[in-house]
Amino acid sequence: MFYFIVKRTIISFFITLAATTLMYFLTISSGDPFEDLGETSGPQKAATIAARTAAMNLDVAPIPRYFLWLQDVGHCLVPGGVSCTLGQDRTGAAVLPQLENAIGSTLRLVVVATVLALVLGVVVGIVTAIRQYSVFDYSITFVSFLLFSLPLFWLSTLLKQYLAIDLNTWLDNPQFSYLTIALIGVVAGVIWAVVVGGDRRRRLVVFAVAAAVTAVGLYLLLVTGWFVTPGLGVVGMLVSAAGIAVLWTALLAGFRRRRVLHAALAAAAVSFAGYLASVPLLNDPNWLVLVALVILLAVISYVVAGVIGGPFRTQAARIGAVIAVSVSLLIVLDRLLQAYPTLSAKAGGRPIPTTGSQSANLEGTFWEINLDYALHLVLPTIALTLISFATYTRYTRASQLDVMNQDYIRTARAKGLSERTVLVKHAFRNAMIPITTLMAFDFAGVLGGAVITEQVFGWNGMGKLFVDGINAVDPGPVMAFFLVVGTAAVLFNMLADIAYAFLDPRITLS
Amino acid sequence: MRNKRTMSLAALSIGALMLSACGSAGGTSDSDSAASSGSDENLASTITIAISQAPTAYNGNTAATNAVYNGYVDNLTSSAFVSYSPSGTLEQNTDFGSYEKTSDDPLTIEYTINDDAVWSDGTPIDYDDVLLSWAAMSGTHPTGEEDEETGEEADLFQASSTNGFSQMQMIEGEPGDKEFEVVFDKPYADWEALFTTGTFMPAHIAAEQGGLSADGDGAALVDAIQNDDRDALTPVAEFWNTGWAYEADLPSLPDTALLPSSGPYKLDNAVNGTLTVVRNEDYWGEERAGQTETMVFRTVVDEEAVQALQNGDVDIIDPSSPTVDTKTALEQIGDTVTVDTGQSFTFSHIDLDQRPGAVFEDLRVRQAFAACIPKADMVDKFVTPVDPEGSVLNLREYQPSHDDYQTVLDGAPAAQGDGVADIERARSLLEEAGKTEPVPVSMMFASTSQLRADQVALVKNSCDQAGFEITPQPEAEWSAKLPQPGAWDAVIFGWSGSGLVASGQSIYVTDGEQNFGGYTNDEVDSLWDDIATSTDSEQVVPLKTELEQALADTQYNVVLYANPSLAGYTSDLQGVELNPTQSGITWNAYTWTKQN
């Protein structure tokens, strides 16, 4: 193991070094660093050329120039001595602070989207695998290929038009005609009928129930002015907490053990009590208070659920903690929704922006500021999620199908395990092994930013650093970008290999 | 049975649909929008301006920071004796002070700064600020380090330009003076344009940051400059060069105490490329006093600006190279957005290689080429769809948006023309020149520009009929190839006009730095000598009329059209006016107001 890591690290170092050489010379030979000055005249031109030549060391031949850059990188590896700047860009500014800013905003932009795409993709992938060749399976296949082939700049233009410009206008005076409400109900009914499946009768029932619930729910939301002053409310929280308890129990334990269900419901009750108690505490908190409260709630639920769980206390306690964290997320969501009316007013009645990463000069509570961040993330996150969703569903579906046809699944069924146990414990866990590789690649890719998304939605992340650098034929920022992305790719690859060995006992590292 | 059930279900649903079609749920009951409209008092406190690149520095006078969008901010946070008006001429800023030319030989101007003029931190704007500008931009503080290639000595201060200031003697005065006299060693035609918005930087900040005391109206700094104390000036110069620079993409502002303003607004904060300026409470003037509390500069790339405007994320956009598509998209939004179009000072033209032995050495070949170029077609395709008022450009030193354009054109008959391609004339001119075979012309353009590629195709289409044989020559490094003799026969690109009197000199005189075609003409050279030293703006127009006539007669190059410019803004915004100069759309942003 140790030998493996050392060997891989040494190999990776030389791979990265070779890659930087290639990248450096490709960058500096990709164009004319003075092209932007072609149409300017006058004395500034000569002065700008002189300043740029000095900053980019253009008076040094390419090969020694590469070593000058390597020397700058070396300053960052060797502690002490000359300060670490990663070289200069063409205006003479240090690259390192730019890189730090870019990584910061890229992480904010891409992490949520990646996690969301992962969760959604895996869930949908598994469901399509279980219901192979159903209408649902075909629909998802169709949709994911459609999304996979969408050009991002086009998708983002549509998103901006419908989910920002038009939705903002609608939110200003939220109303639907009864006909629209009925149509939305019908569409929702069809979707649910297709997802749930079953025989003809069951589908009809699902269709009718889903259509009616959606239409009536939407009607109620509209007449109560929910879209003007949204929130879950006390009743909503109570119902949601109970629902979450049942859901997690169904997924993680099944209903055969009554004690576990009781424990889960108790944890939900504790969480709900926590919600009531937190109302005065959370008017304008900070992250520390928030995290502390979540942990406190999780610990209490863990203990309570463990006590009630009796003979199944380990399982019950774990479910209790999961429920507490889920309910906490709901509380946060509820608080963010409650901040919506004031934030919307501060945004001039158009809360969903098409560009930028935060509003300028916004003064408000913790919730308003974070809702503002969230609203700025809505469009780019949807765009990124939709596109990477496709990859995850296809991979998960294939992997899950592969596992479902294995002998040990048949054995598990034959010895009378419940379908839930077979799917979650035996099939899902093994289906995840190949997905690990994909995840490792994706998280390395995250650091590279999303070139088009950043540009289209006005974020200054890694993608912008790279593209601006390339356009200006400025190796400083390009190489900084490449160092981070290249190192991440090599590193995560190694991590994936190690994780593989842990997940699959048949593999040994040597 | 089953049929019946289906029938009744269908009937029921149709009935429900019919019922539901007439009515709607939801909606806000209180329509506050009706109550607020029409009242003049209800002005917005913030106006958001889209810029396509983040500002790079507070001091836009250095070689590294001389960028358009720094000027956009300077228009609000800085003031000086003159600024550019929308007609392209200089306009006195009476809020800041006044000046008067007192002598032509030597050229002497007396300046008076308004007594009330102060930086936004309360320090008076006076002699030390003026002297620092002179010191920084006159190039009189060589470091002694020589550039290996050019042999020029670098200066302590890395100014973007030393034009004008280097012709100036050191400005004499005492710390605290509000009046000063500028004396030029030799006449300088653009003397009025030296102290424009953005020129003066707060000397007391530079002094303090450079380790000098700012007490006594900057006596220490004044002393150091007057006595040329290099050791004291070096840290000051270092701060002047880089101390006012922002981080790339403007993640935040430096300490705003270092950024006092001399204009109607002052810098407040910046986050992620969004810069906020607020009204400067210490601004003394009345004419340019800010009308709106807060102005926000938001970085939005040109392609996304229209949707940002439509969604209200920004209130005004002015894309740097607007196309027909930009305009159509803006117009489709409807009445909520107003679109203004005009012509900028940037113009497109074709330069011709006329060195001995080159294709265009013979005047008649140049004239034939000019005759066959479909200028009017180009205007119809690339200009009028954006700006309906756009027309063929006939002059080189004036653009149609300039006040004097028509006067000069009337006086230069050789330059007049409607720009319609005249194949017959071109053919007969080529015959006169003795060209019986098709004349091969390699026409260079920027390979990244589709616009230029389209234009070269138009030229080829027309001129190939007249007896030329055009070969398009797309080049990525076209600007590096411009000064190389023989690298091209004709080249199409743009110049950004400045509105200055003498800045075009190096384009037209023999061996001028930007005279890429090797043009040489004694009359033009001597005219430029007169123009560059003429200190009276009255004399410039007749001289330039003669110049235009000479340039047209000898067919220096082919000018095509002035690029259209465009601004789109929410119709609630009042006071917006296009400005063709490099000042940009924010030149009068202090007068803007927005209805809520």
Side-chain angles (χ1 to χ4, degrees), chain B residues 261-276:
Chain B
S261 142
S262 60
Y265 287 83
K266 61 180 179 186
L267 294 157
D268 189 67
N269 72 75
V271 275
N272 285 323
T274 303
L275 175 72
T276 303

Side-chain angles (χ1 to χ4, degrees), chain A residues 160 168 173-174 176 352 354 361, chain B residues 25 27-28 269 304 311 313 478:
Chain A
K160 284 182 176 190
N168 275 332
N173 184 15
F176 278 135
I352 303 171
T354 62
N361 311 310
Chain B
T28 43
N269 72 75
E304 306 302 323
N311 194 36
D313 298 329
W478 65 274

